[in-house]
Amino acid sequence: MTNCDGHSHDHEHAEPDDTNAALGASLRPSVDFPGVRCLNESRPNAGRDILKYYEDRMSENPSLTSQEDIDEDPELLLIVPFTEAVSMKSLSVLSFSGRDEDDDNATTAAPRTVRIYVNRSDLDFETVRDLEPTATITLVPPSHQWMEEFVGGTIDYPLRPSGRFQNVSEIALYFCDNYAMPPGSGGSNDMDDTDEDRVSTEITYVGFKGKGTNVKRKPVEAIYETRGMKKDHKMPGSEYYGREGV
């Protein structure tokens, strides 16, 4: 079983209103919104709702929150199909949770690790826990993300190796842990031996950058749940602040 081990991350800071063309243009116009789904979301279509326009990135609502269960890991599996094959260059993730370090009564926490899977239509929690990801990114902690001089921008995490993110028709983001959990405990049973209650993971914005290929995705016949429940799905890196985003 693969755990969410910590990964070091080097990064640069740019002004919040900078545009980094090297990271590509917003891929939001290529998202197949009716096909977006998220497992373990606390509200139907919450995963779809955080794929906001860039100008709405700083809005706290709507947000995506994992279901409240103090005995279950606060995992989220966000699956985003595209209407055409795309070449992906970067990912942006934003959360307002943890903005106030002195808040001892916080009921949610920002995600710590995201494991990324490309062009896999057969994923559920049991699968992603054991499956080698296309890439793994450790997100910056909230205390860093909300430093006064950087507020207003986004952090764009380059997707590497770039060859694995060409001709992408669907991407899955597995948020396996958050900053209220011990490092490396997500996506495994490591927390089963502790008395700590789980705190829900909360995300307010997800964006993708890259470019389209004008190659339309072939339709796939499938039936999806309107609200993915965890109990029904158990089978026996560098970043840059930029202006443009989803």
Side-chain angles (χ1 to χ4, degrees):
M1 180 172 291
T2 303
N3 294 340
C4 288
D5 296 325
H7 296 262
S8 62
H9 50 271
D10 301 322
H11 60 276
E12 297 179 1
H13 295 287
E15 295 300 324
D17 59 351
D18 276 0
T19 298
N20 193 337
L23 293 177
S26 171
L27 291 176
R28 190 178 192 280
S30 298
V31 172
D32 180 11
F33 279 93
V36 174
R37 57 202 186 277
C38 185
L39 303 186
N40 202 38
E41 58 186 2
S42 61
R43 176 179 58 81
N45 298 322
R48 183 185 307 172
D49 291 343
I50 63 168
L51 300 174
K52 304 171 183 177
Y53 288 102
Y54 180 78
E55 54 265 32
D56 296 327
R57 71 195 180 285
M58 301 303 294
S59 59
E60 295 188 48
N61 294 299
S63 68
L64 167 62
T65 305
S66 60
Q67 295 180 33
E68 294 184 16
D69 191 334
I70 61 174
D71 296 321
E72 293 286 345
D73 287 350
E75 304 165 295
L76 287 165
L77 180 57
L78 177 62
I79 302 170
V80 181
F82 297 93
T83 57
E84 62 176 334
V86 299
S87 174
M88 305 190 72
K89 292 188 175 183
S90 66
L91 165 71
S92 178
V93 178
L94 186 64
S95 175
F96 277 77
S97 294
R99 183 175 42 170
D100 183 0
E101 294 184 281
D102 298 325
D103 185 3
D104 296 327
N105 298 313
T107 57
T108 63
R112 179 193 298 269
T113 311
V114 56
R115 296 171 60 183
I116 305 171
Y117 302 85
V118 169
N119 296 338
R120 293 294 300 255
S121 59
D122 58 342
L123 298 180
D124 57 21
F125 285 117
E126 193 71 16
T127 305
V128 294
R129 291 183 189 127
D130 295 328
L131 184 65
E132 186 70 21
T134 305
T136 301
I137 296 174
T138 298
L139 306 173
V140 299
S143 58
H144 186 88
Q145 180 173 283
W146 291 104
M147 293 176 67
E148 183 177 353
E149 58 265 42
F150 306 129
V151 171
T154 57
I155 300 177
D156 295 317
Y157 301 90
L159 296 174
R160 300 183 180 125
S162 59
R164 297 183 180 181
F165 293 92
Q166 307 299 314
N167 296 313
V168 177
S169 60
E170 183 172 284
I171 191 168
L173 306 178
Y174 174 40
F175 299 96
C176 57
D177 59 356
N178 62 42
Y179 273 97
M181 300 168 62
S185 62
S188 70
N189 296 320
D190 294 350
M191 287 195 70
D192 290 347
D193 298 327
T194 74
D195 295 327
E196 296 184 37
D197 291 343
R198 278 61 159 178
V199 175
S200 296
T201 298
E202 185 172 17
I203 304 168
T204 54
Y205 172 78
V206 167
F208 305 103
K209 291 179 183 177
K211 64 179 180 179
T213 63
N214 294 320
V215 177
K216 295 300 180 182
R217 184 170 62 92
K218 294 181 180 180
V220 177
E221 293 185 5
I223 299 175
Y224 301 123
E225 302 171 65
T226 57
R227 181 185 180 192
M229 302 291 290
K230 289 182 66 175
K231 65 180 180 181
D232 297 330
H233 293 273
K234 294 182 179 180
M235 300 182 299
S238 292
E239 62 269 15
Y240 303 86
Y241 280 82
R243 179 180 180 83
E244 296 180 357
V246 168

